[in-house]
Amino acid sequence: MRLRSLTLQHFRNIPWAELVLSGRQQFFLGANGQGKTNLLEAAGFITALRSFRTTDPKVLPAQGQAEAAIACVVEHEQRGETRLTVRLRRDGRELWCDGEKISRVGDYLGKFPTVVFTSQDLLLVRGAPAARRRWVDLTLAAMDGEYLRALQIYHRALAERNSLLKVGAKGDELAAFEHALAPAGAELIARRITGLAELGQRAAEFYACLADAAEPAALAYRPNVGEPTAAALREKWESGRARDLQFRTTLAGPHRDDFEFSVGGRAAREYASEGQQRSLVLALRLAQAAWFHARVGVRPVLLADDVLGELDPTRRQRFWAALDPEMQILATGTTARSGTGRVANLPGRGGGVHAGGGRMTFEAWQWALAVVGALAIGLAKTGIGGLGMLAVVIFANLMPAKAASGVVLPMLVFADVVAVLAYRRHAQWKLLWKLFPWTAAGVVAGYLAMGRIDDRQASLMIGFIVLALLGLH
């Protein structure tokens, strides 16, 4: 699968962005805080309708906006060209695939895989078990609708049992939820055993390709309850009720599971070097990508968030060698580095658009085009001036949205000034005066309605138009 275009509206700090992606490798370069990670987060959202950065979807729409939208076009091995649209509201989400609304998420899972590499992946080795459980749940749920169903049932029943524990409920009340918990919990453990065994085997193979030494790596599942049966779980919860009541929470079950890495037979968390730990998490992500491909027959898109620059030259070279040559990779960074392939279309790197400071930025060539277009309009005679304004409206609406603030709006500002000066010197240019402000206002209003510009840009443009009208009287 390859991502061919990505469009965002009011997603985190990005009011509007439209990216057209070509080739297998794209690199987004820029300073920290500009929104590079937000682009990858949106691209990764299409896999399981979950963010790899947060569990709270309420933070995804931009501040002050009721909803956000993600739209993309993918080139799919099985489905051909496919258009996906995700609308994110603070109270829920909607998914559309080729114009058809998807009502059941389970029918969608696994069809559009992505794998994310982030600097936070080191926490999978060094951090608390919660981070590892989240990775397991996201990975298995992305490919297995039954796993997702069992996970949802388990956590709903677990929340109810914990609520009862907080108020000191009796054994019979707790038993009712334990009966619902047990089958779902047993299914989670069984599927984790199978899934982590497959992923661990692939991770060991990739680690051997990445690491400096020949020490073998391994991934071991550590279930909190050893026997993956509903009866064993019920017995565990029944025998632990007194302690659970004392702590007012459920202390045993799949929600306490863990897994650990080892290198050379020793725990990686305590004994592995920095380089070994980085190689381990890279190997795990590469294993995840290969596992996704094997499960559904679709190559995932790889999303590398500022991690390639942290690798030494040898590991970086081995990373590229370990990749499936047909997989697309989108990567972010603050500086261009050797051996990373083609640099993406970001400011200073060949044109295009990026997110920064809540508004869109644009290139010098776009300013030059704006000035030339404005001069062509401003210096035209009366009849040609009217046709010129009509051309502005057509040009504005046909132009890709990413250039809206980079070309059309500067053109309108410049032409606004030219119109004032031309009218004062040449009274016969009244048609230009009559046409321009209202045409400009219409373009700005249209862009604002379509979300192509934000309120601040619109206010600035309307201000110029009003000043022009006042200056002509």
Side-chain angles (χ1 to χ4, degrees):
M1 180 180 81
R2 294 196 179 180
L3 192 63
R4 290 311 185 196
S5 71
L6 178 66
T7 304
L8 308 181
Q9 184 178 30
H10 302 315
F11 185 85
R12 289 201 182 261
N13 73 329
I14 304 175
W16 178 274
E18 187 178 46
L19 304 177
V20 178
L21 307 172
S22 61
R24 190 175 70 87
Q25 301 173 4
Q26 293 283 336
F27 297 87
F28 303 102
L29 303 182
N32 292 326
Q34 289 188 309
K36 302 185 302 295
T37 300
N38 295 341
L39 294 174
L40 297 192
E41 181 182 21
F45 203 86
I46 67 173
T47 297
L49 302 184
R50 291 173 180 267
S51 166
F52 66 82
R53 300 170 67 193
T54 180
T55 58
D56 184 5
K58 295 179 182 178
V59 304
L60 299 179
Q63 186 175 2
Q65 299 295 329
E67 67 176 44
I70 303 168
C72 62
V73 177
V74 300
E75 183 182 306
H76 199 274
E77 288 98 319
Q78 299 170 357
R79 303 170 60 96
E81 184 176 280
T82 306
R83 298 178 182 275
L84 301 172
T85 303
V86 183
R87 305 187 72 87
L88 301 167
R89 295 186 297 272
R90 300 187 190 278
D91 61 346
R93 67 201 174 198
E94 288 183 0
L95 169 66
W96 298 78
C97 181
D98 283 334
E100 180 180 350
K101 186 175 181 180
I102 305 299
S103 55
R104 291 186 55 200
V105 175
D107 297 335
Y108 170 83
L109 291 177
K111 291 183 170 60
F112 304 95
T114 61
V115 174
V116 182
F117 299 72
T118 79
S119 57
Q120 298 300 309
D121 285 346
L122 279 175
L123 294 178
L124 295 175
V125 178
R126 304 172 180 173
R132 290 185 284 277
R133 284 193 298 269
R134 174 171 165 77
W135 176 82
V136 169
D137 288 339
L138 287 174
T139 300
L140 299 186
M143 293 290 115
D144 187 348
E146 291 302 311
Y147 184 90
L148 176 61
R149 181 193 62 81
L151 187 67
Q152 292 171 334
I153 293 173
Y154 182 85
H155 279 289
R156 280 196 297 265
L158 179 66
E160 294 292 344
R161 187 176 190 269
N162 287 339
S163 296
L164 290 175
L165 290 171
K166 287 179 172 58
V167 297
K170 303 296 182 181
D172 291 343
E173 295 176 285
L174 294 172
F177 287 101
E178 291 165 4
H179 281 287
L181 271 171
E187 186 169 358
L188 290 178
I189 296 172
R191 291 179 182 271
R192 286 175 181 175
I193 290 173
T194 302
L196 286 173
E198 295 173 357
L199 287 161
Q201 181 179 355
R202 294 178 183 273
E205 294 170 357
F206 279 112
Y207 181 81
C209 298
L210 297 171
D212 295 323
E215 296 176 328
L219 185 156
Y221 178 36
R222 301 288 185 240
N224 183 255
V225 178
E227 188 177 352
T229 65
L233 286 169
R234 284 195 296 268
E235 182 180 345
K236 184 75 172 180
W237 288 321
E238 183 177 354
S239 63
R241 283 174 189 168
R243 194 158 182 259
D244 288 352
L245 283 166
Q246 181 182 0
F247 284 90
R248 297 187 176 185
T249 191
T250 304
L251 297 173
H255 62 288
R256 300 283 183 173
D257 284 356
D258 198 2
F259 69 88
E260 66 178 11
F261 297 93
S262 63
V263 177
R266 299 197 300 174
R269 181 175 183 178
E270 286 82 16
Y271 298 104
S273 68
E274 176 89 7
Q276 287 174 320
Q277 291 183 353
R278 290 191 185 279
S279 295
L280 279 170
V281 294
L282 282 177
L284 183 66
R285 290 299 192 178
L286 290 171
Q288 181 183 351
W291 187 70
F292 280 2
H293 185 202
R295 285 291 300 254
V296 297
V298 178
R299 287 183 173 85
V301 176
L302 306 183
L303 309 171
D305 185 26
D306 207 13
V307 294
L308 301 183
E310 298 175 350
L311 302 177
D312 60 60
T314 300
R315 281 193 175 83
R316 194 181 307 130
Q317 184 177 7
R318 291 173 178 171
F319 171 80
W320 289 114
L323 286 179
D324 182 331
E326 294 301 317
M327 284 185 180
Q328 183 185 29
I329 180 167
L330 311 181
T332 67
T334 54
T335 58
R337 298 186 181 255
S338 61
T340 54
R342 184 174 9 159
V343 176
N345 294 332
L346 291 180
R349 300 285 174 184
V353 65
H354 73 99
R359 56 187 181 275
M360 309 311 293
T361 61
F362 38 88
E363 295 292 325
W365 71 266
Q366 293 174 316
W367 276 109
L369 181 60
V371 171
V372 171
L375 286 172
I377 294 172
L379 298 179
K381 293 184 178 181
T382 305
I384 299 177
L387 294 176
M389 295 320 305
L390 180 60
V392 168
V393 178
I394 297 173
F395 180 56
N397 285 279
L398 292 179
M399 178 176 292
K402 64 182 181 181
S405 58
V407 176
V408 177
L409 297 186
M411 180 186 293
L412 293 177
V413 173
F414 194 83
D416 203 354
V417 176
V418 171
V420 173
L421 296 177
Y423 177 73
R424 288 193 173 278
R425 293 191 177 185
H426 305 282
Q428 68 269 24
W429 285 28
K430 287 186 178 181
L431 180 60
L432 178 62
W433 162 59
K434 292 178 180 178
L435 287 173
F436 178 77
W438 305 115
T439 305
V443 172
V444 172
Y447 273 157
L448 183 61
M450 291 184 289
R452 292 188 171 189
I453 57 175
D454 57 27
D455 295 344
R456 180 179 176 181
Q457 291 172 311
S459 299
L460 180 64
M461 291 306 307
I462 295 297
F464 272 109
I465 293 169
V466 171
L467 287 175
L469 290 171
L470 294 175
L472 293 170
H473 289 284

